[in-house]
Amino acid sequence: MHHFKILEYALSSLIRRKFKNLAIIIVYTFTVATLASILFLTHSLKKEAEYLLADAPELVVQRLSGGRHELIPLEYGETIRRIPGVAKVQPRLWGYYYDGLIDANYTLQEVLPGHSKLPMLQGRLPQNPGECAIGAGVAEVRRIGLEDDLIMVDSANVGRTFTVTGVFKAESALLTNDLVILEKQDLIDFFDYPADLATDIAVSVRNPVEINTIAEKIKRQLPDTRPISRSEILRTYAAVFNWRSGMMLSVFVAALVAFCILAWDKATGISAEEKREIGILKAIGWETSNILEVKFWEGIAVSLTALLLGLLTAYIHVFFLNATLLTPVIKGWSVLFPTFRLAPFIDPYQILVIAFLTVPPYVVSTVIPSWKAAITDPEAAMRG
Amino acid sequence: MPPLIQIEHVRKIYNAHKPDEFCALDDISLQIEAGEVAVFKGPSGSGKTTLLSLIGCMSRPTEGRIRIGEKDVVKLSERFLARTRQQTFGFIFQQFNLLRDVSVLENVLMPLYPQQVPISAMKNRGLELLRQLDMENKQQAKIRQLSGGEQQRVAIARALINDPDIIIADEPTAHLDSQLSADLIEILTAIHQSGRTILIATHDPQLFNHPLISSVFSMHSGRLTEGC
Amino acid sequence: MILHPGIMALLCGTTLVLLMMLYASSLAIKILRRWNFYSCSEEQLQLERKTFLVSTIVNYALGFQVLSLFLFIYTLEEIHPLFVGAMCATGSLNANPVGWSALYVKILVFFAAALWIALNYLDGRAEDSPLIKLKYSYLLLLTPLIGCELYLQISYFYQLDPEIITSCCGSLFSADGSGVAADLAGLAPGRMMLIFYALVGLLAGLAWLCWKKTAPWLRYGFSLAGAIFFVTSLISVISFISLYIYELPTHHCPFDLLQQNYGFIGYPLYVGLFVGTLFSILPGLFQPLKKYPSLTVEIERLEKKWLFTALIFFALFVLIASWPIVFGHFRLMNFARF
């Protein structure tokens, strides 16, 4: 019962000093929003990567030479096909193309069966030489659409023209944004690939439990290859995102420390009016522990308000404004980045972590000033 | 029956062992019976307020003993001192000491907040007191909207909310004109008739010459000069 | 080292707690040396005021410690996908065995911290604060324990390497394996069930007797039974309770219960057990404090609350544990090893 009344008093006390408390809440909210944005974004990207990689092949086999990625002979695919447990082997042809005009990298890929599953905004996949399908990002930066021409300079420094027969929908942007799909022979001619080589080989495995075993067998039979499993890619993504978010968090520790100093300063600068009020309360019979309880509730109210507002702001920032302030750091090197909509992925663990990262520092900053206020001498009230 | 308030050889020294050491009370001994109305008179700085704050368990003496009823309050920890203050005393301060941006009713109920009193019972008690003091119609008014006399009555209601045995009033007529002072004395008389002990610090002759007063203590420079 | 936000939250939080405890300990030393309750001096008044600061700091710090046990377990669950072979928190702990020590110390700190909070609360109810010396001496032991916990946590997280292939609970808690965990998993479930429910009956009986009579030995008995029940319950979770929740006679893991696909049932289950155990050991542990006259009445009054709270939380634990046994489709008795 009395806790309820003391809580009520604490809230009315906060409202009576609204400007001072508003300043703290705004800065606190900003701090929470920054930390929350980082966590929401990285978590969402991790989940997005997991979701997308669900359809990726279980294994991708690359050939290494001197530690670097090299084209892989097609006959390696035959060797892999003979390994028990392998369901399907698909050599893949693709490469990167640097467009000097707009300083962007495209991924050029041959037409594969999987491409027909991706939603197209307009048109169709290339069926004839001299045709191409492009991602929404390519269409946007080159300002081209259906029936337009895409000119690229091949490995012999000759300009080649491809007619756009299809443009991918923005929803598939994470997979297709920088994609240019060409007919197989066009691709081979463009990069001047030898006929018996592929960029890598995608391997499907019947039993997911056997992936590592098969990867080991591939490695044993073809020692100059590197089989990469899907789960390895996911783990790497997760580790990189964790690392990146951890780095950003470390940087924002500086912001948190600055906030704590502000909180300490505000809490220590107890006004004469507030001191007078506490003196009166002590004089009429309130104990030090009651005043400490008032300060506790004030702290909780401020923390919870800032936490909620910060989470809301972060949610809007990340999922409605696409985390415009954070993406350059988190996402990486590519200039041509998809403006895809992140799907909201939030779980209670994240909220818990954000609370643990922001509330204890605030509590620590204000505990001593709160105590100093609470031990105000009631005798002072007698003297007025 | 032992006296309600017993003070033996009490001294109060501020800033002990420091250059600005100051002895506010020196060897005070006195007794006050239950139901008495005692006045402490003396010039500013004589120690009246200090003595009242010691009796009212606002602070502890440097030396000596203070007994309130059967309890030796000098031996109590801060927490239990506060509890004794809450249960035994009601204070009427010189500056009223009301919370300005809080309503009349909330000011009156403030001493009850830390106690295990149901909210409805709290409100009923508060409204009853305000009714007795003709302040019921102003229960939601903010303190800053009230006159001096009205604030005085709210302060009295707050002092009575815990149903204390002892009322301590520090210069209660300092900010009142003669009419309001007379009103106050009437209220104090009614409080006394309900069986409470009243201690008043004042240098208003209207008060210490009033028939309501049963004992007068004169103080000067921290010592009792009369009435020990 | 894995730069995971949950790990950073844990390490920063524990570091802050340790700093607060060190400061509180420095005040505690001062108070222990100069405390004289019957003195009216200014120094004694300042010390009394400082006791409020110490209480506030330590309550916050230890409150965090209690919550951080859950954050720790939840984080272990969260990071397990980073390790090859890990399917739950067991895998995360196996990735660096220091993790198990960190977990045990965290559980110890949970109880030690909660006990200090209870001791502090009791001391505040007495007029003469008779437990000051005991309380602050205990604080000086608690602080190094928290330091040890921080050290183990840093050690654990710092040396975590996602390249490590770890074993999951299936191999650790398998009856065919070796080691303590395997032995626990191998205990005959039928026998464990008997022991478990017998202890539940004993606890209920002792609680009823404590309610009716004031004999100290009953309280000691109840607290001892509570402590034994805690250990027995953890063994029972591995031995048979988990089997009924997973509906699988070979799945003994005590951590998978905390995952979403089991409805996070592990959390209320363990909350019931831990909180119930805490309140069950208070009556016995605080029995000797009745020698302080200012505490006798208060302890007797609080004992009933502690008993009641312990029973409520134990009931929650037993209810959650028993529900799938009684109402579930799975029948362990059909299997040979029962």
Side-chain angles (χ1 to χ4, degrees):
Chain A
M1 186 66 59
H2 70 279
H3 293 300
F4 179 72
K5 290 306 286 182
I6 291 182
L7 167 62
E8 194 188 350
Y9 174 79
L11 294 175
S12 81
S13 168
L14 277 177
I15 293 170
R16 272 179 279 129
R17 278 167 271 279
K18 50 172 130 4
F19 292 114
K20 167 178 152 184
N21 291 307
L22 205 60
I24 285 282
I25 288 176
I26 288 172
V27 178
Y28 201 171
T29 301
F30 176 73
T31 312
V32 171
T34 313
L35 294 175
S37 294
I38 296 168
L39 290 184
F40 287 171
L41 180 59
T42 49
H43 187 74
S44 185
L45 287 172
K46 257 194 281 184
K47 282 280 178 237
E48 197 77 52
E50 263 171 45
Y51 181 63
L52 289 170
L53 283 168
D55 284 332
E58 285 90 12
L59 275 174
V60 169
V61 182
Q62 295 177 335
R63 185 169 154 252
L64 296 178
S65 174
R68 309 223 16 176
H69 176 218
E70 288 279 338
L71 297 175
I72 191 167
L74 289 173
E75 65 192 18
Y76 280 28
E78 295 310 313
T79 311
I80 294 169
R81 208 182 300 261
R82 285 194 290 269
I83 297 173
V86 169
K88 200 169 128 202
V89 171
Q90 172 71 56
R92 307 195 302 186
L93 276 167
W94 58 272
Y96 292 122
Y97 176 73
Y98 174 68
D99 186 340
L101 259 169
I102 41 167
D103 195 27
N105 283 293
Y106 308 147
T107 305
L108 267 54
Q109 212 172 30
E110 60 163 327
V111 181
L112 286 172
H115 288 137
S116 53
K117 281 191 255 171
L118 295 166
M120 293 209 92
L121 185 67
Q122 308 165 285
R124 56 168 176 80
L125 289 170
Q127 287 161 356
N128 305 305
E131 291 179 346
C132 70
I134 59 176
V138 179
E140 200 184 334
V141 296
R142 290 290 287 256
R143 296 188 225 277
I144 51 177
L146 215 54
E147 307 297 316
D148 289 332
D149 287 335
L150 174 67
I151 301 170
M152 295 190 288
V153 180
D154 70 10
S155 55
N157 211 23
V158 174
R160 307 266 290 239
T161 309
F162 299 94
T163 310
V164 178
T165 55
V167 180
F168 288 103
K169 264 195 170 133
E171 274 80 40
S172 61
L174 256 179
L175 282 171
T176 63
N177 208 51
D178 64 345
L179 208 52
V180 175
I181 304 223
L182 304 176
E183 250 257 297
K184 183 170 174 174
Q185 195 53 47
D186 275 344
L187 192 73
I188 291 173
D189 293 340
F190 191 88
F191 285 125
D192 196 21
Y193 280 157
D196 59 341
L197 295 177
T199 313
D200 58 32
I201 297 175
V203 179
S204 296
V205 170
R206 275 193 203 92
N207 185 353
V209 172
E210 295 298 318
I211 292 175
N212 287 333
T213 319
I214 290 174
E216 270 168 52
K217 285 185 182 169
I218 295 172
K219 190 88 184 101
R220 255 204 311 274
Q221 295 187 30
L222 304 164
D224 61 343
T225 58
R226 173 174 66 184
I228 305 170
S229 71
R230 185 171 60 203
S231 58
E232 233 175 312
I233 298 176
L234 273 169
R235 266 204 314 283
T236 311
Y237 267 122
V240 167
F241 283 131
N242 279 337
W243 186 86
R244 285 220 170 115
S245 75
M247 284 299 291
M248 287 214 71
L249 284 177
S250 310
V251 165
F252 281 100
V253 158
L256 195 61
V257 167
F259 166 68
C260 289
I261 294 171
L262 174 72
W264 168 283
D265 190 55
K266 284 279 173 216
T268 319
I270 175 177
S271 66
E273 179 61 30
E274 206 179 333
K275 211 174 166 73
R276 175 183 169 267
E277 241 183 69
I278 293 173
I280 292 169
L281 291 175
K282 299 284 286 282
I284 59 174
W286 284 43
E287 300 171 25
T288 302
S289 56
N290 298 134
I291 308 291
L292 283 169
E293 191 180 336
V294 169
K295 292 291 168 199
F296 168 75
W297 287 122
E298 282 180 2
I300 291 281
V302 168
S303 296
L304 281 181
T305 307
L307 193 65
L308 284 169
L309 288 176
L311 288 173
L312 193 65
T313 309
Y315 189 91
I316 293 170
H317 170 229
V318 172
F319 299 117
F320 288 93
L321 302 176
N322 275 327
T324 31
L325 301 169
L326 284 179
T327 40
V329 182
I330 295 274
K331 285 179 183 169
W333 52 266
S334 174
V335 171
L336 191 68
F337 222 85
T339 52
F340 56 89
R341 274 249 172 283
L342 283 162
F345 279 112
I346 299 180
D347 67 59
Y349 178 72
Q350 284 185 305
I351 313 283
L352 194 63
V353 168
I354 293 166
F356 265 89
L357 279 170
T358 53
V359 174
Y362 178 71
V363 164
V364 169
S365 313
T366 52
V367 74
I368 292 178
S370 297
W371 168 77
K372 280 210 173 120
I375 57 168
T376 300
D377 200 352
E379 205 186 336
M382 282 291 280
R383 300 184 183 284
Chain B
M1 184 121 123
L4 180 62
I5 300 171
Q6 277 181 281
I7 298 174
E8 292 167 26
H9 305 294
V10 154
R11 295 186 85 205
K12 179 71 178 176
I13 300 175
Y14 292 103
N15 304 322
H17 313 302
K18 288 187 188 153
D20 52 350
E21 182 178 299
F22 167 66
C23 180
L25 292 176
D26 192 9
D27 195 23
I28 305 280
S29 299
L30 58 88
Q31 291 177 349
I32 296 171
E33 304 290 334
E36 272 196 53
V37 181
V39 155
F40 294 83
K41 63 177 190 175
S44 285
S46 55
K48 310 188 291 296
T49 304
T50 309
L51 181 60
L52 285 185
S53 68
L54 288 179
I55 296 172
C57 300
M58 298 257 199
S59 62
R60 278 184 283 194
T62 315
E63 282 172 32
R65 270 169 43 135
I66 302 178
R67 294 183 80 87
I68 309 290
E70 287 170 3
K71 210 174 261 197
D72 188 341
V73 299
V74 170
K75 291 200 193 314
L76 289 177
S77 67
E78 196 265 358
R79 184 200 177 112
F80 286 87
L81 215 56
R83 200 161 287 185
T84 306
R85 193 161 67 238
Q86 194 188 78
Q87 290 165 351
T88 314
F89 295 94
F91 294 91
I92 304 168
F93 300 98
Q94 183 176 17
Q95 314 280 359
F96 308 142
N97 279 349
L98 298 166
L99 302 184
R100 285 193 266 268
D101 292 308
V102 170
S103 71
V104 163
L105 183 59
E106 281 184 340
N107 263 287
V108 170
L109 298 183
M110 207 61 74
L112 293 180
Y113 281 13
Q115 300 177 46
Q116 306 274 17
V117 179
I119 296 175
S120 52
M122 247 193 240
K123 272 202 163 134
N124 290 339
R125 227 193 278 184
L127 287 171
E128 175 55 29
L129 280 167
L130 287 175
R131 193 191 58 77
Q132 286 172 12
L133 292 161
D134 281 330
M135 290 293 295
E136 198 184 0
N137 56 334
K138 298 224 170 172
Q139 58 174 279
Q140 294 304 328
K142 297 277 188 279
I143 297 300
R144 51 175 78 254
Q145 297 163 343
L146 302 182
S147 68
E150 288 171 332
Q151 288 187 33
Q152 177 72 282
R153 276 182 275 162
V154 176
I156 293 171
R158 183 180 66 184
L160 293 171
I161 194 75
N162 267 324
D163 198 20
D165 293 326
I166 306 171
I167 297 288
I168 294 182
D170 189 14
E171 305 283 1
T173 56
H175 301 288
L176 305 177
D177 61 29
S178 49
Q179 177 54 48
L180 289 172
S181 299
D183 291 342
L184 173 75
I185 295 172
E186 258 185 60
I187 296 171
L188 288 177
T189 310
I191 292 173
H192 175 239
Q193 278 166 0
S194 63
R196 293 176 223 272
T197 309
I198 305 179
L199 310 179
I200 307 172
T202 184
H203 42 271
D204 181 354
Q206 210 180 347
L207 263 176
F208 49 75
N209 291 325
H210 198 276
L212 172 69
I213 308 302
S214 40
S215 29
V216 177
F217 297 92
S218 290
M219 295 187 69
H220 195 281
S221 303
R223 287 172 175 271
L224 273 176
T225 56
E226 198 188 308
C228 7
Chain C
M1 161 73 149
I2 299 174
L3 222 54
H4 185 272
I7 295 173
M8 288 177 69
L10 267 170
L11 295 181
C12 290
T14 312
T15 307
L16 272 176
V17 164
L18 183 63
L19 290 173
M20 285 165 81
M21 291 294 283
L22 284 169
Y23 178 62
S25 297
S26 69
L27 292 174
I29 291 171
K30 216 179 278 185
I31 292 170
L32 278 171
R33 281 173 50 199
R34 316 291 264 187
W35 183 263
N36 176 4
F37 180 73
Y38 297 104
S39 159
C40 300
S41 67
E42 187 66 19
E43 191 188 27
Q44 175 62 20
L45 183 66
Q46 294 304 332
L47 286 179
E48 269 183 45
R49 287 178 172 165
K50 288 217 161 69
T51 62
F52 284 105
L53 179 57
V54 175
S55 293
T56 309
I57 289 175
V58 177
N59 277 335
Y60 281 142
L62 301 186
F64 174 83
Q65 282 299 103
V66 163
L67 292 171
S68 79
L69 175 62
F70 294 102
L71 180 65
F72 183 70
I73 307 252
Y74 209 152
T75 302
L76 293 177
E77 281 292 317
E78 269 292 306
I79 63 175
H80 82 258
L82 298 174
F83 305 105
V84 180
M87 311 266 273
C88 66
T90 309
S92 307
L93 287 168
N94 284 335
N96 178 2
V98 174
W100 290 104
S101 307
L103 179 65
Y104 300 143
V105 172
K106 263 198 118 52
I107 292 175
L108 186 61
V109 168
F110 171 87
F111 284 110
L115 280 175
W116 194 94
I117 293 174
L119 202 62
N120 186 48
Y121 175 78
L122 195 59
D123 189 43
R125 313 287 298 173
E127 283 188 8
D128 54 349
S129 301
L131 303 177
I132 287 278
K133 293 214 183 274
L134 175 66
K135 211 167 61 170
Y136 290 132
S137 307
Y138 181 35
L139 186 68
L140 295 177
L141 293 175
L142 202 49
T143 306
L145 188 63
I146 291 176
C148 174
E149 184 204 323
L150 179 64
Y151 170 74
L152 287 171
Q153 269 188 156
I154 292 176
S155 243
Y156 170 62
F157 288 119
Y158 191 71
Q159 287 164 37
L160 274 181
D161 187 354
E163 300 298 318
I164 291 173
I165 297 174
T166 177
S167 57
C168 92
C169 50
S171 52
L172 187 70
F173 292 102
S174 155
D176 304 320
S178 63
V180 174
D183 289 342
L184 293 178
L187 287 170
R191 207 175 302 158
M192 260 331 287
M193 267 169 129
L194 269 167
I195 296 172
F196 177 76
Y197 286 106
L199 267 173
V200 170
L202 177 66
L203 269 171
L206 280 171
W208 183 81
L209 280 171
C210 287
W211 199 273
K212 292 285 177 203
K213 297 179 190 301
T214 55
W217 69 266
L218 283 171
R219 278 129 185 88
Y220 289 125
F222 181 73
S223 295
L224 186 64
I228 294 173
F229 184 67
F230 178 70
V231 177
T232 311
S233 297
L234 289 176
I235 296 171
S236 300
V237 167
I238 297 170
S239 169
F240 69 91
I241 296 174
S242 52
L243 305 184
Y244 280 95
I245 294 175
Y246 304 133
E247 293 187 356
L248 206 57
T250 51
H251 191 175
H252 292 273
C253 180
F255 293 110
D256 279 340
L257 304 167
L258 302 164
Q259 294 194 347
Q260 188 169 13
N261 40 338
Y262 298 106
F264 300 112
I265 197 70
Y267 288 102
L269 185 76
Y270 287 124
V271 163
L273 179 61
F274 275 68
V275 177
T277 305
L278 177 66
F279 281 94
S280 72
I281 60 181
L282 290 179
L285 213 57
F286 285 2
Q287 222 17 243
L289 300 179
K290 280 184 176 170
K291 73 180 186 209
Y292 297 106
S294 50
L295 284 176
T296 319
V297 171
E298 194 60 28
I299 293 177
E300 270 164 26
R301 189 185 69 85
L302 284 170
E303 259 173 10
K304 288 201 152 55
K305 282 194 179 159
W306 294 333
L307 281 169
F308 186 68
T309 311
L311 285 178
I312 292 284
F313 278 92
F314 276 150
L316 173 70
F317 171 71
V318 172
L319 188 69
I320 295 176
S322 308
W323 192 277
I325 299 173
V326 175
F327 297 107
H329 301 118
F330 182 70
R331 288 283 168 264
L332 191 62
M333 285 175 264
N334 298 332
F335 292 91
R337 269 185 46 246
F338 186 82

